[in-house]
Amino acid sequence: MAVIVFVTSCKDPKQNNNGNVMTDSLVTKPNPYVNADQSPMDMSYFPADYPLKMMEGKTAGILSARVIYSRPHKKHRQIFGDTDASLCRYGREWRLGANEATEIDFFRDVYINNTKLAAGQYIIYCIPFQDRWTIVLNTKLHTWGLHMDPTKDIFRTDVKAETQNPPIEDFTMVFLPASYGTDLLMSWDNVKISLPIAFTPQ
């Protein structure tokens, strides 16, 4: 996914050819309709950049999966742990992001740990522990936070938690190619997991 970043500084105003100071309307005029979200929404596809490749007429492969989530930032906080200061407490449900419940879409039948999951839309969340995360799929769509109905849980599996260094500031979900299909990488702070998603029984 390509991201273009524009950097401006109020300490270094730009000037036009006449020497007049040029201002950035995005900086000087806040949006009157919405507030800037501290946890922006993001979307990851498998294959990567599928819509962009399709629009450019390139071979994009078979659209298999997409995840839609909001990216919270660490902001010097303790993320994973077993204390009141931990943002994501061990043994407690976490929405895998911020704001709305995170959604995963399968555009074909897939297999996770040899369990067949039909193509469709699901909510995905987790229960983190120090050595593993329990990944849960749920059919109660379009919810905010963790207000899903546990009776709508249709699948859960444990995935090993690994340490990563250096830690990362923004929670990230991205699909990576694998011989059997794809791995959904979930990473934040100094922890990462990879959920194996196969396209055929293994």
Side-chain angles (χ1 to χ4, degrees), residues 145-172:
L146 274 170
H147 297 289
M148 64 279 294
D149 181 352
T151 65
K152 302 290 186 179
D153 290 350
I154 63 160
F155 174 79
R156 61 177 55 204
T157 189
D158 287 343
V159 182
K160 180 182 178 182
E162 301 180 73
T163 300
Q164 66 176 6
N165 190 31
I168 64 170
E169 173 69 19
D170 303 327
F171 175 60
T172 300

mmCIF file of all heavy atoms in Angstrom, residues 145-172:
data_model
loop_
_atom_site.group_PDB
_atom_site.id
_atom_site.type_symbol
_atom_site.label_atom_id
_atom_site.label_comp_id
_atom_site.label_asym_id
_atom_site.label_seq_id
_atom_site.Cartn_x
_atom_site.Cartn_y
_atom_site.Cartn_z
ATOM 1 N N GLY A 145 -16.128 -1.057 19.066
ATOM 2 C CA GLY A 145 -15.383 -1.580 20.207
ATOM 3 C C GLY A 145 -15.571 -3.072 20.358
ATOM 4 O O GLY A 145 -15.503 -3.827 19.400
ATOM 5 N N LEU A 146 -15.838 -3.487 21.586
ATOM 6 C CA LEU A 146 -15.985 -4.917 21.874
ATOM 7 C C LEU A 146 -17.409 -5.244 22.300
ATOM 8 O O LEU A 146 -17.636 -5.909 23.301
ATOM 9 C CB LEU A 146 -14.992 -5.329 22.968
ATOM 10 C CG LEU A 146 -13.598 -5.705 22.466
ATOM 11 C CD1 LEU A 146 -12.631 -5.845 23.618
ATOM 12 C CD2 LEU A 146 -13.644 -6.982 21.653
ATOM 13 N N HIS A 147 -18.369 -4.785 21.524
ATOM 14 C CA HIS A 147 -19.764 -5.038 21.854
ATOM 15 C C HIS A 147 -20.339 -6.145 20.986
ATOM 16 O O HIS A 147 -21.506 -6.121 20.624
ATOM 17 C CB HIS A 147 -20.583 -3.744 21.719
ATOM 18 C CG HIS A 147 -20.148 -2.669 22.660
ATOM 19 N ND1 HIS A 147 -20.369 -2.738 24.025
ATOM 20 C CD2 HIS A 147 -19.463 -1.527 22.450
ATOM 21 C CE1 HIS A 147 -19.857 -1.667 24.599
ATOM 22 N NE2 HIS A 147 -19.290 -0.907 23.674
ATOM 23 N N MET A 148 -19.495 -7.107 20.633
ATOM 24 C CA MET A 148 -20.002 -8.235 19.860
ATOM 25 C C MET A 148 -20.660 -9.251 20.798
ATOM 26 O O MET A 148 -20.378 -9.297 21.994
ATOM 27 C CB MET A 148 -18.882 -8.907 19.061
ATOM 28 C CG MET A 148 -17.795 -9.553 19.865
ATOM 29 S SD MET A 148 -16.578 -8.359 20.443
ATOM 30 C CE MET A 148 -15.866 -7.836 18.905
ATOM 31 N N ASP A 149 -21.532 -10.032 20.243
ATOM 32 C CA ASP A 149 -22.245 -11.063 20.987
ATOM 33 C C ASP A 149 -21.401 -12.337 20.979
ATOM 34 O O ASP A 149 -21.169 -12.913 19.910
ATOM 35 C CB ASP A 149 -23.600 -11.291 20.320
ATOM 36 C CG ASP A 149 -24.443 -12.336 21.021
ATOM 37 O OD1 ASP A 149 -23.937 -13.000 21.944
ATOM 38 O OD2 ASP A 149 -25.607 -12.500 20.606
ATOM 39 N N PRO A 150 -20.918 -12.812 22.146
ATOM 40 C CA PRO A 150 -20.072 -14.008 22.153
ATOM 41 C C PRO A 150 -20.773 -15.245 21.605
ATOM 42 O O PRO A 150 -20.112 -16.187 21.178
ATOM 43 C CB PRO A 150 -19.686 -14.176 23.628
ATOM 44 C CG PRO A 150 -20.682 -13.387 24.390
ATOM 45 C CD PRO A 150 -21.092 -12.252 23.498
ATOM 46 N N THR A 151 -22.109 -15.231 21.594
ATOM 47 C CA THR A 151 -22.815 -16.370 21.008
ATOM 48 C C THR A 151 -22.663 -16.398 19.491
ATOM 49 O O THR A 151 -23.005 -17.392 18.854
ATOM 50 C CB THR A 151 -24.314 -16.345 21.366
ATOM 51 O OG1 THR A 151 -24.922 -15.193 20.766
ATOM 52 C CG2 THR A 151 -24.509 -16.299 22.878
ATOM 53 N N LYS A 152 -22.137 -15.288 18.911
ATOM 54 C CA LYS A 152 -21.903 -15.222 17.474
ATOM 55 C C LYS A 152 -20.472 -15.632 17.096
ATOM 56 O O LYS A 152 -20.117 -15.607 15.916
ATOM 57 C CB LYS A 152 -22.167 -13.809 16.955
ATOM 58 C CG LYS A 152 -23.563 -13.286 17.229
ATOM 59 C CD LYS A 152 -24.609 -14.007 16.410
ATOM 60 C CE LYS A 152 -25.971 -13.348 16.596
ATOM 61 N NZ LYS A 152 -27.030 -14.014 15.786
ATOM 62 N N ASP A 153 -19.661 -15.997 18.097
ATOM 63 C CA ASP A 153 -18.324 -16.506 17.799
ATOM 64 C C ASP A 153 -18.466 -17.813 17.019
ATOM 65 O O ASP A 153 -19.213 -18.709 17.422
ATOM 66 C CB ASP A 153 -17.541 -16.780 19.089
ATOM 67 C CG ASP A 153 -17.161 -15.507 19.823
ATOM 68 O OD1 ASP A 153 -17.321 -14.412 19.255
ATOM 69 O OD2 ASP A 153 -16.694 -15.613 20.981
ATOM 70 N N ILE A 154 -17.727 -17.910 15.919
ATOM 71 C CA ILE A 154 -17.822 -19.133 15.111
ATOM 72 C C ILE A 154 -16.500 -19.876 15.023
ATOM 73 O O ILE A 154 -16.466 -21.021 14.573
ATOM 74 C CB ILE A 154 -18.326 -18.821 13.690
ATOM 75 C CG1 ILE A 154 -17.328 -17.910 12.961
ATOM 76 C CG2 ILE A 154 -19.714 -18.225 13.716
ATOM 77 C CD1 ILE A 154 -17.478 -17.943 11.471
ATOM 78 N N PHE A 155 -15.414 -19.230 15.440
ATOM 79 C CA PHE A 155 -14.112 -19.872 15.298
ATOM 80 C C PHE A 155 -13.118 -19.214 16.235
ATOM 81 O O PHE A 155 -13.148 -17.998 16.441
ATOM 82 C CB PHE A 155 -13.604 -19.746 13.856
ATOM 83 C CG PHE A 155 -12.200 -20.245 13.657
ATOM 84 C CD1 PHE A 155 -11.942 -21.601 13.549
ATOM 85 C CD2 PHE A 155 -11.130 -19.358 13.595
ATOM 86 C CE1 PHE A 155 -10.646 -22.065 13.366
ATOM 87 C CE2 PHE A 155 -9.840 -19.808 13.412
ATOM 88 C CZ PHE A 155 -9.591 -21.170 13.297
ATOM 89 N N ARG A 156 -12.240 -20.032 16.826
ATOM 90 C CA ARG A 156 -11.121 -19.488 17.587
ATOM 91 C C ARG A 156 -9.925 -20.422 17.491
ATOM 92 O O ARG A 156 -10.079 -21.641 17.362
ATOM 93 C CB ARG A 156 -11.491 -19.190 19.044
ATOM 94 C CG ARG A 156 -11.946 -20.337 19.890
ATOM 95 C CD ARG A 156 -12.192 -19.859 21.339
ATOM 96 N NE ARG A 156 -13.117 -18.731 21.414
ATOM 97 C CZ ARG A 156 -13.151 -17.856 22.425
ATOM 98 N NH1 ARG A 156 -12.300 -17.964 23.429
ATOM 99 N NH2 ARG A 156 -14.024 -16.875 22.428
ATOM 100 N N THR A 157 -8.749 -19.835 17.530
ATOM 101 C CA THR A 157 -7.518 -20.617 17.449
ATOM 102 C C THR A 157 -6.416 -19.865 18.163
ATOM 103 O O THR A 157 -6.459 -18.630 18.266
ATOM 104 C CB THR A 157 -7.122 -20.885 15.983
ATOM 105 O OG1 THR A 157 -6.046 -21.819 15.937
ATOM 106 C CG2 THR A 157 -6.701 -19.615 15.277
ATOM 107 N N ASP A 158 -5.427 -20.566 18.674
ATOM 108 C CA ASP A 158 -4.286 -19.950 19.343
ATOM 109 C C ASP A 158 -3.125 -19.803 18.368
ATOM 110 O O ASP A 158 -2.845 -20.700 17.567
ATOM 111 C CB ASP A 158 -3.833 -20.791 20.536
ATOM 112 C CG ASP A 158 -4.803 -20.709 21.707
ATOM 113 O OD1 ASP A 158 -5.623 -19.775 21.730
ATOM 114 O OD2 ASP A 158 -4.731 -21.571 22.605
ATOM 115 N N VAL A 159 -2.454 -18.653 18.445
ATOM 116 C CA VAL A 159 -1.301 -18.366 17.601
ATOM 117 C C VAL A 159 -0.163 -17.895 18.500
ATOM 118 O O VAL A 159 -0.369 -17.089 19.411
ATOM 119 C CB VAL A 159 -1.628 -17.278 16.554
ATOM 120 C CG1 VAL A 159 -0.430 -17.037 15.648
ATOM 121 C CG2 VAL A 159 -2.854 -17.672 15.731
ATOM 122 N N LYS A 160 1.027 -18.393 18.249
ATOM 123 C CA LYS A 160 2.188 -18.061 19.069
ATOM 124 C C LYS A 160 2.510 -16.579 18.997
ATOM 125 O O LYS A 160 2.533 -15.985 17.917
ATOM 126 C CB LYS A 160 3.400 -18.880 18.614
ATOM 127 C CG LYS A 160 4.672 -18.601 19.406
ATOM 128 C CD LYS A 160 5.842 -19.401 18.867
ATOM 129 C CE LYS A 160 7.129 -19.083 19.625
ATOM 130 N NZ LYS A 160 8.287 -19.839 19.067
ATOM 131 N N ALA A 161 2.770 -15.964 20.152
ATOM 132 C CA ALA A 161 3.208 -14.568 20.210
ATOM 133 C C ALA A 161 4.730 -14.522 20.198
ATOM 134 O O ALA A 161 5.383 -15.259 20.931
ATOM 135 C CB ALA A 161 2.670 -13.898 21.467
ATOM 136 N N GLU A 162 5.283 -13.655 19.354
ATOM 137 C CA GLU A 162 6.725 -13.528 19.229
ATOM 138 C C GLU A 162 7.167 -12.113 19.599
ATOM 139 O O GLU A 162 6.407 -11.154 19.455
ATOM 140 C CB GLU A 162 7.160 -13.840 17.804
ATOM 141 C CG GLU A 162 6.786 -15.232 17.332
ATOM 142 C CD GLU A 162 7.245 -15.468 15.914
ATOM 143 O OE1 GLU A 162 8.471 -15.640 15.708
ATOM 144 O OE2 GLU A 162 6.390 -15.469 15.013
ATOM 145 N N THR A 163 8.411 -12.004 20.046
ATOM 146 C CA THR A 163 8.982 -10.703 20.363
ATOM 147 C C THR A 163 9.633 -10.116 19.124
ATOM 148 O O THR A 163 10.283 -10.823 18.356
ATOM 149 C CB THR A 163 10.032 -10.825 21.480
ATOM 150 O OG1 THR A 163 9.404 -11.362 22.644
ATOM 151 C CG2 THR A 163 10.630 -9.462 21.820
ATOM 152 N N GLN A 164 9.443 -8.820 18.917
ATOM 153 C CA GLN A 164 10.102 -8.143 17.799
ATOM 154 C C GLN A 164 10.890 -6.939 18.323
ATOM 155 O O GLN A 164 10.514 -6.310 19.309
ATOM 156 C CB GLN A 164 9.093 -7.688 16.756
ATOM 157 C CG GLN A 164 8.148 -6.606 17.233
ATOM 158 C CD GLN A 164 7.242 -6.133 16.114
ATOM 159 O OE1 GLN A 164 7.236 -6.669 15.021
ATOM 160 N NE2 GLN A 164 6.451 -5.113 16.391
ATOM 161 N N ASN A 165 11.994 -6.656 17.660
ATOM 162 C CA ASN A 165 12.850 -5.545 18.053
ATOM 163 C C ASN A 165 13.452 -4.935 16.781
ATOM 164 O O ASN A 165 14.013 -5.663 15.961
ATOM 165 C CB ASN A 165 13.958 -6.043 18.985
ATOM 166 C CG ASN A 165 14.736 -4.912 19.617
ATOM 167 O OD1 ASN A 165 14.189 -3.849 19.858
ATOM 168 N ND2 ASN A 165 16.007 -5.134 19.866
ATOM 169 N N PRO A 166 13.299 -3.630 16.580
ATOM 170 C CA PRO A 166 12.736 -2.654 17.513
ATOM 171 C C PRO A 166 11.210 -2.711 17.539
ATOM 172 O O PRO A 166 10.588 -3.215 16.600
ATOM 173 C CB PRO A 166 13.221 -1.319 16.946
ATOM 174 C CG PRO A 166 13.331 -1.577 15.475
ATOM 175 C CD PRO A 166 13.814 -2.988 15.355
ATOM 176 N N PRO A 167 10.601 -2.176 18.590
ATOM 177 C CA PRO A 167 9.142 -2.109 18.642
ATOM 178 C C PRO A 167 8.606 -1.114 17.621
ATOM 179 O O PRO A 167 9.350 -0.252 17.136
ATOM 180 C CB PRO A 167 8.871 -1.639 20.081
ATOM 181 C CG PRO A 167 10.119 -0.932 20.493
ATOM 182 C CD PRO A 167 11.245 -1.625 19.786
ATOM 183 N N ILE A 168 7.323 -1.221 17.283
ATOM 184 C CA ILE A 168 6.725 -0.286 16.336
ATOM 185 C C ILE A 168 5.662 0.555 17.042
ATOM 186 O O ILE A 168 4.987 0.091 17.966
ATOM 187 C CB ILE A 168 6.142 -0.988 15.105
ATOM 188 C CG1 ILE A 168 4.982 -1.914 15.481
ATOM 189 C CG2 ILE A 168 7.205 -1.758 14.363
ATOM 190 C CD1 ILE A 168 4.239 -2.436 14.273
ATOM 191 N N GLU A 169 5.522 1.782 16.598
ATOM 192 C CA GLU A 169 4.626 2.751 17.226
ATOM 193 C C GLU A 169 3.162 2.482 16.901
ATOM 194 O O GLU A 169 2.286 2.602 17.756
ATOM 195 C CB GLU A 169 5.011 4.167 16.772
ATOM 196 C CG GLU A 169 4.073 5.265 17.221
ATOM 197 C CD GLU A 169 4.109 5.528 18.710
ATOM 198 O OE1 GLU A 169 5.098 5.136 19.371
ATOM 199 O OE2 GLU A 169 3.147 6.132 19.224
ATOM 200 N N ASP A 170 2.866 2.138 15.645
ATOM 201 C CA ASP A 170 1.478 1.990 15.196
ATOM 202 C C ASP A 170 1.097 0.521 15.071
ATOM 203 O O ASP A 170 1.831 -0.270 14.478
ATOM 204 C CB ASP A 170 1.282 2.654 13.826
ATOM 205 C CG ASP A 170 1.674 4.115 13.838
ATOM 206 O OD1 ASP A 170 1.503 4.763 14.875
ATOM 207 O OD2 ASP A 170 2.156 4.598 12.796
ATOM 208 N N PHE A 171 -0.062 0.173 15.593
ATOM 209 C CA PHE A 171 -0.573 -1.184 15.377
ATOM 210 C C PHE A 171 -0.739 -1.416 13.881
ATOM 211 O O PHE A 171 -1.255 -0.560 13.151
ATOM 212 C CB PHE A 171 -1.914 -1.370 16.086
ATOM 213 C CG PHE A 171 -2.558 -2.695 15.808
ATOM 214 C CD1 PHE A 171 -1.921 -3.876 16.136
ATOM 215 C CD2 PHE A 171 -3.804 -2.764 15.204
ATOM 216 C CE1 PHE A 171 -2.501 -5.113 15.880
ATOM 217 C CE2 PHE A 171 -4.398 -3.984 14.940
ATOM 218 C CZ PHE A 171 -3.751 -5.151 15.276
ATOM 219 N N THR A 172 -0.293 -2.583 13.414
ATOM 220 C CA THR A 172 -0.267 -2.876 11.984
ATOM 221 C C THR A 172 -0.836 -4.255 11.706
ATOM 222 O O THR A 172 -0.520 -5.221 12.398
ATOM 223 C CB THR A 172 1.177 -2.811 11.453
ATOM 224 O OG1 THR A 172 1.703 -1.496 11.673
ATOM 225 C CG2 THR A 172 1.228 -3.122 9.970
#
